[in-house]
């Protein structure tokens, strides 16, 4: 069975939301609400270390904003960011918002992901 990992950011999709997120990261990074994004992305792009890590996992990865995830998976999840594994069309929570938000570095996040893989 092929593993399928679903990463969900604590941010909504769309140009306005993207610009708002960038401004928030620049002007008030300590209160930015998506640690998954803060760790994996710079202000404008995905960090190369993160991209290489994801490509090297050898599993299918899907990245969604909160609103996209809720629409696609009809989930009742309330706290974001989160990481799920999709198993037989059912979502299995692998990393909660609390766990992701406790990560202080990319190495912490990668270690947490490697634990469930």
């Amino acid at each position: 069975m092929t593993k399928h990992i679903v990463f969900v950011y604590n941010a909504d999709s769309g140009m306005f939301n993207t610009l708002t997120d960038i401004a928030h990261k620049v002007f008030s990074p300590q209160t930015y609400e998506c640690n998954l994004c803060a760790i994996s992305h710079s202000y404008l792009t995905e960090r190369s270390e993160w991209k290489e890590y994801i490509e090297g996992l050898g599993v299918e990865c899907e990245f969604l904003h909160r609103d996209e995830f809720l629409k696609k998976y009809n989930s009742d999840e309330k706290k974001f960011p989160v990481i799920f594994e999709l198993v037989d069309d059912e979502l299995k929570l692998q990393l909660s918002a609390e766990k992701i938000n406790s990560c202080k570095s990319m190495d912490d996040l990668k270690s947490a992901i490697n634990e469930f893989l």
Side-chain angles (χ1 to χ4, degrees):
M1 171 180 14
T2 302
K3 284 192 178 264
H4 181 111
I5 307 301
V6 181
F7 295 79
V8 187
Y9 299 109
N10 189 26
D12 288 329
S13 61
M15 184 56 71
F16 176 78
N17 292 317
T18 299
L19 294 174
T20 302
D21 281 350
I22 291 169
H24 195 159
K25 279 198 242 180
V26 170
F27 297 112
S28 188
Q30 68 279 8
T31 63
Y32 187 64
E33 296 179 342
C34 186
N35 204 35
L36 177 59
C37 184
I39 290 173
S40 64
H41 287 71
S42 65
Y43 296 127
L44 300 175
T45 61
E46 183 177 45
R47 296 181 196 279
S48 59
E49 179 184 351
W50 177 251
K51 184 176 182 176
E52 290 169 12
Y53 170 73
I54 293 298
E55 289 172 353
L57 286 177
V59 300
E60 184 178 346
C61 295
E62 179 178 15
F63 295 87
L64 298 169
H65 293 93
R66 176 181 49 218
D67 61 321
E68 296 166 327
F69 168 77
L70 293 170
K71 183 177 180 181
K72 181 174 182 175
Y73 289 102
N74 195 28
S75 172
D76 60 356
E77 183 65 39
K78 302 282 188 245
K79 291 185 176 183
F80 298 93
V82 290
I83 301 174
F84 289 97
E85 184 175 5
L86 189 61
V87 179
D88 298 325
D89 293 326
E90 289 195 34
L91 293 170
K92 179 179 177 187
L93 182 64
Q94 292 293 353
L95 291 180
S96 67
E98 291 80 10
K99 178 68 175 173
I100 294 170
N101 290 334
S102 73
C103 294
K104 302 295 183 207
S105 67
M106 189 173 304
D107 285 341
D108 290 348
L109 181 58
K110 291 190 308 189
S111 291
I113 293 167
N114 290 340
E115 283 181 29
F116 75 80
L117 290 177

